[in-house]
Amino acid sequence: MRYLITGGSGFIGSHLSERLLGQGDEVLALDDLSTGRYENIAGLEGQPGFELRLGSVTEPALVEECVKECQAVFHLASAVGVRLVVEQPVKTIETIVNGTDVVLRACARYRRPVLITSTSEVYGKSEKIPFAEGDDCVMGPTNTRRWAYACAKALDEFLALAHWNESRLPVVIARLFNTVGPRQTGRYGMVIPRFVSQGLAGSPLTVYGTGHQTRCFAHVSDIVGALVALMQNPAARGEVFNIGNDEEVSILQLADRVRALTGGKSAIQTVPYGEAYTAGFEDMYRRVPDLSKIKRLIGYRPTRNLDQILADILDEQSRKLASN
Ligand code: UDP
């Protein structure tokens, strides 16, 4: 089977490419290398069954050509990370909304099954823990940039489900919770790669806000396994699924663990949100997935815990430092 992966050179896209090639499938990776990086897939270029095509998901002719050549589509291309969303709000909204519209139209035209990756951000500031797929999405005001990302992704979900409802286009929606693993960069705000590089440099670990906010971190290998299983299961079509890990940790506890793992030299420094992002920035206090739906359908259960995730990131960054 030949799969199109939009955002195939990104952090998650490159792991998904590897997984599919490893099981004997072919991959066409479409990426504009805006947040995706060539080095993520450099090892795959030249391998039989892999092809990289440069371009944006907002280019209809290019996307049509790619969709036509493949049997199914994983749509991962998106603006990523809270920092980017805050710094480039127009590009964020355009890439998310226009890109998904273009991909869905092409899939509708050629009747290709498509998995749309969404985000736990769509639950917004809901305080009903854990978040289940049928729960309300609680958005903040339109003058707070963070919510643009959540609303744009929610609109993608509405559009995909509308295609399913109107013409039975096979769509699956995967709401990804915080995902971590090798190749993720801290450039767009992601806390674990940032803490690990700060710890290895012996510089302060920057905890935003009070640090009492919590997150649940999943290893990218669990996430890509679930994406493949959802794509292959016809009962997933027309449905939304949380994917992640439900082991909850506060950002302060995370900082303590990273500090201990990286030699204990770093201080822990709290930074007000207004300084870290923009004035009026709103963070989610807790974000925990209810995983019962995906467990029921595909028997999903995270296999790697936070210790293993941290060990992997530490190993990757230490090796990079040693080779520089
Ligand atoms: N965070 C932090 N220090 C950093 C980067 C992030 O304390 O250097 C916090 C951030 O405010 C959030 C959590 O860590 O509460 C997770 O941030 P990330 O950007 O990884 O993902 P998010 O959950 O915001 O999508």
Side-chain angles (χ1 to χ4, degrees):
M1 182 112 162
R2 188 167 198 231
Y3 290 96
L4 170 63
I5 306 181
T6 70
S9 301
F11 155 55
I12 301 177
S14 63
H15 284 277
L16 180 60
S17 298
E18 260 172 25
R19 180 71 57 104
L20 292 169
L21 292 168
Q23 64 183 39
D25 290 306
E26 294 183 11
V27 170
L28 171 57
L30 173 65
D31 208 300
D32 64 359
L33 300 182
S34 54
T35 54
R37 288 180 301 169
Y38 177 73
E39 66 187 71
N40 287 345
I41 49 90
L44 300 181
E45 266 222 301
Q47 267 193 36
F50 181 80
E51 183 185 337
L52 171 65
R53 210 163 289 177
L54 292 182
S56 163
V57 280
T58 55
E59 295 171 50
L62 173 66
V63 171
E64 279 222 359
E65 180 189 295
C66 294
V67 167
K68 195 175 168 188
E69 288 175 29
C70 296
Q71 282 88 51
V73 180
F74 287 96
H75 177 45
L76 274 65
S78 178
V80 288
V82 171
R83 180 164 298 284
L84 192 70
V85 172
V86 169
E87 286 172 2
Q88 298 181 17
V90 172
K91 187 159 186 242
T92 298
I93 299 170
E94 286 181 352
T95 311
I96 294 173
V97 178
N98 298 350
T100 302
D101 180 34
V102 166
V103 169
L104 284 168
R105 279 170 194 259
C107 290
R109 175 150 189 202
Y110 297 105
R111 302 292 298 168
R112 301 292 193 252
V114 54
L115 183 148
I116 304 281
T117 47
S118 181
T119 166
S120 55
E121 285 271 331
V122 299
Y123 292 104
K125 43 184 168 181
S126 170
E127 288 176 2
K128 185 185 163 294
I129 298 290
F131 296 155
E133 292 85 348
D135 289 346
D136 286 343
C137 299
V138 185
M139 300 297 164
T142 52
N143 61 4
T144 301
R145 291 180 194 180
R146 176 174 203 141
W147 305 119
Y149 179 63
C151 284
K153 287 296 225 180
L155 189 61
D156 283 359
E157 292 194 15
F158 277 119
L159 191 59
L161 292 172
H163 278 278
W164 164 255
N165 288 324
E166 282 189 14
S167 66
R168 282 292 178 266
L169 175 69
V171 301
V172 186
I173 293 163
R175 282 188 189 153
L176 307 188
F177 282 66
N178 294 67
T179 303
V180 197
R183 299 186 204 134
Q184 184 177 40
T185 129
R187 230 166 64 218
Y188 306 108
M190 277 65 177
V191 67
I192 290 185
R194 280 174 61 80
F195 278 1
V196 171
S197 66
Q198 290 166 341
L200 287 174
S203 41
L205 306 189
T206 52
V207 170
Y208 299 162
T210 61
H212 295 303
Q213 72 272 30
T214 70
R215 292 294 185 270
C216 299
F217 296 96
H219 195 286
V220 66
S221 67
D222 284 328
I223 300 294
V224 299
L227 294 177
V228 173
L230 286 177
M231 173 67 98
Q232 288 170 348
N233 194 322
R237 294 175 178 178
E239 297 285 338
V240 180
F241 295 90
N242 289 336
I243 315 182
N245 192 320
D246 46 14
E247 179 189 355
E248 193 176 8
V249 65
S250 80
I251 300 303
L252 261 182
Q253 289 165 337
L254 177 69
D256 275 336
R257 280 165 79 165
V258 173
R259 175 167 62 177
L261 282 172
T262 51
K265 289 193 289 289
S266 294
I268 291 181
Q269 179 193 346
T270 53
V271 180
Y273 285 120
E275 247 171 64
Y277 299 108
T278 48
F281 181 84
E282 289 183 82
D283 202 7
M284 285 83 180
Y285 191 60
R286 288 178 73 193
R287 186 194 276 161
V288 185
D290 181 335
L291 297 173
S292 37
K293 186 173 176 184
I294 189 164
K295 190 171 174 196
R296 264 197 315 276
L297 187 72
I298 60 165
Y300 171 83
R301 156 182 95 67
T303 61
R304 303 214 190 167
N305 63 21
L306 186 58
D307 283 332
Q308 290 162 304
I309 291 171
L310 294 176
D312 262 15
I313 306 295
L314 185 62
D315 179 55
E316 181 192 41
Q317 292 202 14
S318 309
R319 273 193 283 125
K320 262 196 189 151
L321 282 175
S323 70
N324 281 340

Short mmCIF file of all heavy atoms in Angstrom, two decimals, residues 83 86-87 141-147 272-283:
data_model
loop_
_atom_site.label_atom_id
_atom_site.label_comp_id
_atom_site.label_asym_id
_atom_site.label_seq_id
_atom_site.Cartn_x
_atom_site.Cartn_y
_atom_site.Cartn_z
N ARG A 83 4.32 28.21 20.78
CA ARG A 83 5.13 29.40 20.49
C ARG A 83 4.85 29.92 19.07
O ARG A 83 4.64 31.10 18.85
CB ARG A 83 6.62 29.08 20.67
CG ARG A 83 7.54 30.26 20.39
CD ARG A 83 8.91 30.02 20.95
NE ARG A 83 8.90 29.87 22.39
CZ ARG A 83 8.76 30.88 23.23
NH1 ARG A 83 8.64 32.12 22.80
NH2 ARG A 83 8.75 30.68 24.53
N VAL A 86 1.53 31.63 18.71
CA VAL A 86 1.50 32.96 19.31
C VAL A 86 2.27 33.94 18.42
O VAL A 86 1.85 35.08 18.23
CB VAL A 86 2.08 32.91 20.74
CG1 VAL A 86 2.32 34.30 21.28
CG2 VAL A 86 1.13 32.16 21.67
N GLU A 87 3.37 33.47 17.82
CA GLU A 87 4.22 34.39 17.05
C GLU A 87 3.74 34.60 15.61
O GLU A 87 3.98 35.64 15.03
CB GLU A 87 5.66 33.86 17.03
CG GLU A 87 6.33 34.07 18.38
CD GLU A 87 7.69 33.39 18.48
OE1 GLU A 87 8.15 32.79 17.49
OE2 GLU A 87 8.28 33.46 19.58
N PRO A 141 -11.59 33.62 24.64
CA PRO A 141 -11.97 34.71 23.73
C PRO A 141 -11.08 34.78 22.48
O PRO A 141 -9.95 34.29 22.49
CB PRO A 141 -11.78 35.95 24.59
CG PRO A 141 -10.78 35.56 25.62
CD PRO A 141 -10.97 34.11 25.88
N THR A 142 -11.59 35.44 21.43
CA THR A 142 -10.86 35.49 20.17
C THR A 142 -9.66 36.43 20.20
O THR A 142 -8.85 36.43 19.27
CB THR A 142 -11.79 35.92 19.01
OG1 THR A 142 -12.44 37.12 19.40
CG2 THR A 142 -12.80 34.86 18.69
N ASN A 143 -9.55 37.25 21.23
CA ASN A 143 -8.35 38.10 21.27
C ASN A 143 -7.20 37.44 22.02
O ASN A 143 -6.17 38.04 22.24
CB ASN A 143 -8.66 39.49 21.84
CG ASN A 143 -9.18 39.42 23.27
OD1 ASN A 143 -9.23 38.34 23.85
ND2 ASN A 143 -9.56 40.56 23.81
N THR A 144 -7.36 36.17 22.40
CA THR A 144 -6.25 35.42 22.98
C THR A 144 -5.77 34.42 21.93
O THR A 144 -6.51 33.51 21.57
CB THR A 144 -6.71 34.71 24.28
OG1 THR A 144 -7.18 35.70 25.18
CG2 THR A 144 -5.57 33.95 24.92
N ARG A 145 -4.54 34.65 21.44
CA ARG A 145 -4.09 33.92 20.26
C ARG A 145 -4.09 32.41 20.39
O ARG A 145 -4.27 31.69 19.44
CB ARG A 145 -2.68 34.37 19.89
CG ARG A 145 -2.66 35.78 19.38
CD ARG A 145 -1.28 36.19 19.03
NE ARG A 145 -1.23 37.62 18.86
CZ ARG A 145 -0.14 38.29 18.55
NH1 ARG A 145 0.99 37.64 18.36
NH2 ARG A 145 -0.17 39.58 18.41
N ARG A 146 -3.84 31.92 21.59
CA ARG A 146 -3.78 30.47 21.77
C ARG A 146 -5.03 29.79 21.22
O ARG A 146 -4.96 28.72 20.64
CB ARG A 146 -3.62 30.14 23.25
CG ARG A 146 -3.66 28.66 23.48
CD ARG A 146 -3.39 28.23 24.88
NE ARG A 146 -2.91 26.86 24.83
CZ ARG A 146 -1.97 26.36 25.58
NH1 ARG A 146 -1.37 27.12 26.45
NH2 ARG A 146 -1.61 25.11 25.46
N TRP A 147 -6.20 30.44 21.44
CA TRP A 147 -7.46 29.79 21.06
C TRP A 147 -7.64 29.71 19.56
O TRP A 147 -8.48 28.96 19.06
CB TRP A 147 -8.64 30.48 21.75
CG TRP A 147 -8.44 30.52 23.23
CD1 TRP A 147 -8.35 31.62 24.02
CD2 TRP A 147 -8.22 29.39 24.09
NE1 TRP A 147 -8.10 31.25 25.32
CE2 TRP A 147 -8.01 29.89 25.39
CE3 TRP A 147 -8.18 28.01 23.89
CZ2 TRP A 147 -7.76 29.07 26.48
CZ3 TRP A 147 -7.93 27.19 24.98
CH2 TRP A 147 -7.74 27.72 26.25
N PRO A 272 7.03 34.10 34.37
CA PRO A 272 5.60 34.41 34.17
C PRO A 272 5.20 34.14 32.71
O PRO A 272 6.00 34.36 31.79
CB PRO A 272 5.51 35.90 34.48
CG PRO A 272 6.79 36.27 35.16
CD PRO A 272 7.82 35.26 34.76
N TYR A 273 3.95 33.70 32.52
CA TYR A 273 3.48 33.41 31.15
C TYR A 273 3.63 34.61 30.22
O TYR A 273 3.96 34.47 29.05
CB TYR A 273 2.00 33.01 31.17
CG TYR A 273 1.76 31.62 31.69
CD1 TYR A 273 0.97 31.41 32.81
CD2 TYR A 273 2.29 30.51 31.04
CE1 TYR A 273 0.73 30.14 33.30
CE2 TYR A 273 2.06 29.23 31.51
CZ TYR A 273 1.28 29.05 32.64
OH TYR A 273 1.05 27.79 33.11
N GLY A 274 3.37 35.80 30.76
CA GLY A 274 3.44 37.02 29.94
C GLY A 274 4.83 37.21 29.35
O GLY A 274 4.98 37.75 28.25
N GLU A 275 5.84 36.77 30.09
CA GLU A 275 7.23 36.88 29.59
C GLU A 275 7.54 35.75 28.62
O GLU A 275 8.22 35.92 27.62
CB GLU A 275 8.19 36.76 30.77
CG GLU A 275 8.96 38.01 31.10
CD GLU A 275 9.71 37.82 32.41
OE1 GLU A 275 10.60 36.96 32.47
OE2 GLU A 275 9.37 38.56 33.36
N ALA A 276 7.02 34.56 28.92
CA ALA A 276 7.33 33.39 28.09
C ALA A 276 6.62 33.49 26.74
O ALA A 276 7.19 33.15 25.71
CB ALA A 276 6.91 32.12 28.81
N TYR A 277 5.38 33.93 26.74
CA TYR A 277 4.60 34.03 25.50
C TYR A 277 4.21 35.49 25.27
O TYR A 277 5.05 36.29 24.93
CB TYR A 277 3.38 33.11 25.57
CG TYR A 277 3.73 31.64 25.73
CD1 TYR A 277 3.52 30.98 26.93
CD2 TYR A 277 4.27 30.91 24.69
CE1 TYR A 277 3.83 29.63 27.09
CE2 TYR A 277 4.60 29.57 24.82
CZ TYR A 277 4.38 28.94 26.03
OH TYR A 277 4.70 27.62 26.18
N THR A 278 2.92 35.81 25.47
CA THR A 278 2.49 37.21 25.34
C THR A 278 1.59 37.55 26.52
O THR A 278 1.08 36.64 27.17
CB THR A 278 1.65 37.45 24.05
OG1 THR A 278 0.65 36.42 24.01
CG2 THR A 278 2.47 37.45 22.79
N ALA A 279 1.38 38.84 26.72
CA ALA A 279 0.50 39.25 27.82
C ALA A 279 -0.87 38.62 27.61
O ALA A 279 -1.35 38.51 26.48
CB ALA A 279 0.40 40.77 27.84
N GLY A 280 -1.48 38.17 28.69
CA GLY A 280 -2.83 37.59 28.60
C GLY A 280 -2.84 36.13 28.17
O GLY A 280 -3.90 35.56 27.94
N PHE A 281 -1.66 35.52 28.06
CA PHE A 281 -1.60 34.12 27.65
C PHE A 281 -2.33 33.25 28.67
O PHE A 281 -2.18 33.41 29.87
CB PHE A 281 -0.13 33.67 27.56
CG PHE A 281 0.02 32.25 27.12
CD1 PHE A 281 -0.01 31.92 25.78
CD2 PHE A 281 0.15 31.23 28.06
CE1 PHE A 281 0.10 30.60 25.37
CE2 PHE A 281 0.27 29.91 27.66
CZ PHE A 281 0.25 29.59 26.31
N GLU A 282 -3.16 32.31 28.16
CA GLU A 282 -3.87 31.42 29.07
C GLU A 282 -3.35 30.00 28.88
O GLU A 282 -3.26 29.52 27.75
CB GLU A 282 -5.36 31.40 28.74
CG GLU A 282 -6.11 32.66 29.09
CD GLU A 282 -7.59 32.50 28.79
OE1 GLU A 282 -8.32 31.92 29.61
OE2 GLU A 282 -8.02 32.95 27.71
N ASP A 283 -3.03 29.32 29.97
CA ASP A 283 -2.57 27.94 29.88
C ASP A 283 -3.67 27.01 30.40
O ASP A 283 -4.56 27.44 31.11
CB ASP A 283 -1.30 27.77 30.73
CG ASP A 283 -0.46 26.58 30.30
OD1 ASP A 283 -0.79 25.96 29.26
OD2 ASP A 283 0.53 26.27 30.99
#
